[in-house]
Amino acid sequence: MSMNNSPNVFLDPNANRFQVNIINESHDNTETSQDDVGSDPPHYEETSFTDEAHNRLRISYRPGKRELYDNFLQNGEKTEASLHPYDTHTKMYYLQTFGHNTVDPVPKIDYYRNTGSVSGNKLSRPSLLEIHEQLAKNIAVSTGSVERVANGESTAGDETAVSKEEENKTGFVKFGWVKGVLVRCMLNIWGVMLFIRLSWIVGQAGIGLGIIVIGLSVVVTTLTGISMSAICTNGVVRGGGAYYLISRSLGPEFGGSIGLIFAFANAVAVAMYVVGFAETVVELLKESDTLMVDESNDIRIIGTITVVCLLGISVAGMEWEAKAQVILLVVLLVAIANFFIGTVIPTNNEKKARGFFNYQASIFAENFGPDFRSGEGFFSVFAIFFPAATGILAGANISGDLKDPQDAIPKGTMLAILITTVAYIGVAICAASCVVRDATGNINDTVVPGMSCNGSSACSLGYDFSRCASQPCDYGLMNNFQVMSMVSGFGPLITAGIFSATLSSALASLVSAPKVFQALCKDNVYKGLHFFAKGYGKNNEPIRGYVLTFVIAMAFILIAELNTIAPIISNFFLASYALINFSCFHASYAKSPGWRPAFRYYNMWVSLFGALLCCGVMFVINWWAALITYAIELFLYIYVTYKKPEVNWGSSTQALYYINALDSALALTTVEDHVKNFRPQCIALTGAPMIRPALLDITHTFTKNNGLCICCEVYTGPRKLCVKEMNSSMAKKQAWLTKNKRKAFYAAVAADSFRDGVKSLLQASGLGRMKPNTLVIGFKKDWRNATATQVENYVGVIHDAFDFELGMIIVRISQGFDISQVLQVQEELEKLEQERLALEATIKENDFEEGKSSICGFFKKASTLNISKHETKKESSINTIQSMHVGEFNQKLLEASTQFKKKQGKGTIDIWWLFDDGGLTILIPYILTIRKKWKNCKLRIFTGGKVNRIEEEKLVMASLLSKFRIKFADINIICDINIKPNKESWKFFEEMIEPYRLHESCKDITTAEKLKRETPWKITDAELEAFKEKSYRQVRLNELLQEHSRAANLIVLSLPVARKGVVSDYLYMAWLEILSKNLPPILMVRGNHKNVLTFYS
């Protein structure tokens, strides 16, 4: 192989910005000259990055091979010859990325898209397996598509995808940050409060405190805007506004609860704004004495007409709605400019009598301090003003209709807050600098010569309004809500501004409510509301949501008392602000690597302060409304938590769960184990958990909410296949545990043998102090038909558990644990049922098609007969399979697999505590009795003793159990454990071990030695004789168990221990077999001989 990268390449001033030198690799070409070998120093592939704009790919190539590259790139254009030249000479075809023989793709955004992304098609990069394993066969790819495939682009159906994407792009109406966010937020923030209440607020609080009131409100909205900006710039934002931001940050529980009340609040806000508009119109009608019916009914009539008109604009599409918003903003801006112009137009006597004197320093000084009246105070005035500062979510609520929500929402929202704040402060200062607090409106109330003014600015300006101190007046900042109309250059423009403010806010709310509600319904958080998820038209308009919003708004316009509902609606909005702030804090606090907002000007503690501030403001505005808001939100949170929607949005709540779990696990490692805190932490060899459910159930019974339970599976066989199968099924089996409400983990290993796999699990499972201390396995029922290696592995697992100082539990039930055959039959029957349903659907479809055509009518009967024959054949095949598997489908096995799920009736758990193992043998059944399913079972204790000390032994055991605070029903002292079993039992044992005996004593020494070498696993005569007494004991124990515990619900028995290298595997299996044969469910338990019980406090 030769690499010829000339140094001149890197000195070339015209080198491109992304320059790749292709290395030629060929195993077939032997034309390399001697000059190339040894004469030149070794060259390496290098990549040059410069700022030049010439996008040409510079290629280094072998001498004499230049013609192969001539057509690779021409002036930056791709050609069909964009293949590695040596690919045509090799048997395997490799794709290219950087000109190398590799299928590795370059980084591309399409690999990171979600499935179903509207902004582009998701592409799948080659899996690690595909680039790690050897290529097994040729990859057939068309020449012109090599580079596109290497970069992860699709080769089939590209034109369709592109055309569909273009169609989507041209169909959607997307707004920029000005029209989409800035205009909406400004219109929603500027409300009627600006025109009819701001003058009263500055009159009560004065200029100083008035600015503080405005400033405090702006602090809340600004902090929320900052938090919202951080969340918006942490990934792509879809439709749903506040709901989307909160749900993706805090999860469906918070998002679902706030999303519903936020959508409802917007719907009711439509009614509030429309009623505000209708009241202004009715006031004008009243002044001109042209009321239609009466005031209240006129408000209903005008409100209904207005809502219908607004609904028409909204349903017409977002483009029309946006145009209407722009027109309303122009009107509003003209009205505000009209006020400022009016302040500098010289006043007249009529306006002076009403308190307007243009800009006067004395009025400014007089109105700077507060003058609270009628029981008002700072917080009550703040509560009245604060709703005027809300509306910052108007742009975010249509996030799905923005071109770039990440850029538009922060920029538009923060600028809207700035502009509206300046306007509020400017109007407040100007109004308070021009208009006195009280005025009579009488042009004759002038100052009499020689009269003392006592510091009154009106008096110094020639008017006497002193009688306003003793009797109510109708004019001035404190008394007249139409101060802006009076001050303005042209009064009707202020009325137009009020119309614009109310209608724009109503329109924004009418659009926001369905959009948020549609996003909520699409996520299917509330399954009953999925009907409203459907969208219509090119912009996916939520028509059903519009109708629902219209109905809610109409209901409140016609029947509701809006003055009562208004504080609750304000608190609903504030609750949304609080959760947005908390979302930002929570995401920062969770320290997830996925939290990388592009907006950097935020702080987690400032966001938390913003959340607390919002909660405080809720109580300041109205404490009972705040309590109602919290109650509703808590109810919805509990509901969503209970329903557990099947969504995973990578919320910060999940990240915090991990952080808390990690911190707790680390903290736990610093705490020394104590016997009082011992709990069984089990590793259960269930295989796939659905295969041996009974073994999992009995283990889960004493570990649920109490200890660790790990269901383990060992894959043996060809490593490649095992690893592939294991990786593909991990999530599925853990999901099965979760679905079946088993509080357990699933773990699997691939190993050369069963024993090696279990050994790995015993050593590596768990984390810190949360490590298994007990191994649970099922009894190997087929040990007599198994190979010697399988038996050796099974017994070896028991030895390994003891070597690692784990407790051991062997569980045996009469029917066995493995129900894989039952599951297989059920799966086959389900497939056949699906085929039958599909066939029926096909028959109906065929019948329908045949019925449509009279020409085919003649053949209908024959066709139906033919299909019926197929159907009969299919049904008969189902019946054949059912009958074929009737022997395998063992009903008793199925019932046995669920026996530990059922509630156990009154009965006993018999504990044969023959050897002291630290107390595990007594602790396991005690834990069972405190479980709901086993609480009706009483503990009976059986233990060995001497004939002449039965009562003393009972007292000793009773004293021990009472110190351990373990209740029991009876204690039995068994005195005849060590006597010989009866002949029939012993004969059965001998016949059982006969096939596994060596019988070396009957053979000559040479033959015996040869047999030992060939079959080292067999039971020798010497071994059988050495452990004859122990074998007697196991057989005798089975007789005693049959006598005393035949009717028990469960037996817990001390597990005999076999010494390593002394007791053969088959003899030990024979002991376990004879010990547990023909009995109720039995747990053979042996602790690790360390105390798990204590009587000390």
Side-chain angles (χ1 to χ4, degrees), residues 508-525:
S509 297
L510 186 57
V511 170
S512 297
K515 294 282 185 182
V516 173
F517 193 59
Q518 183 187 34
L520 177 66
C521 296
K522 274 184 178 178
D523 288 336
N524 212 16
V525 176

Side-chain angles (χ1 to χ4, degrees), residues 659-778:
I659 293 294
N660 291 339
L662 185 62
D663 289 343
S664 298
L666 289 171
L668 200 58
T669 59
T670 63
V671 180
E672 291 295 327
D673 288 333
H674 195 281
V675 64
K676 285 197 296 184
N677 293 322
F678 176 86
R679 60 197 66 229
Q681 303 200 103
C682 300
I683 186 167
L685 299 183
T686 59
M690 63 284 289
I691 298 297
R692 294 177 180 82
L695 183 61
L696 172 60
D697 289 337
I698 190 64
T699 308
H700 187 254
T701 304
F702 52 80
T703 60
K704 181 182 179 182
N705 299 327
N706 189 53
L708 180 69
C709 180
I710 306 177
C711 298
C712 294
E713 185 172 8
V714 178
Y715 287 87
T716 57
R719 184 172 184 82
K720 183 178 178 181
L721 294 176
C722 287
V723 170
K724 185 177 180 180
E725 184 183 355
M726 181 179 71
N727 290 340
S728 63
S729 63
M730 289 281 283
K732 178 184 174 184
K733 290 169 182 175
Q734 183 63 57
W736 185 91
L737 290 170
T738 305
K739 182 181 177 182
N740 289 272
K741 298 180 180 179
R742 297 292 178 265
K743 295 186 177 180
F745 300 97
Y746 173 76
V749 293
D752 295 332
S753 70
F754 174 72
R755 184 178 182 182
D756 289 341
V758 175
K759 199 181 293 184
S760 299
L761 288 166
L762 294 178
Q763 294 177 88
S765 296
L767 186 68
R769 296 288 181 194
M770 293 186 295
K771 288 183 70 70
N773 53 32
T774 307
L775 175 64
V776 182
I777 62 173

Side-chain angles (χ1 to χ4, degrees), residues 80 82-83 93 95 139-149 155:
E80 289 192 356
S82 58
L83 292 174
Y93 186 84
L95 304 180
I139 303 174
V141 183
S142 62
T143 304
S145 64
V146 174
E147 185 173 321
R148 294 172 61 241
V149 174
T155 57

Side-chain angles (χ1 to χ4, degrees), residues 980-993:
K980 284 187 179 182
N982 61 50
K983 292 181 180 179
E984 291 79 9
S985 300
W986 182 249
K987 183 180 179 182
F988 176 84
F989 178 77
E990 287 185 321
E991 289 174 352
M992 181 171 61
I993 64 173

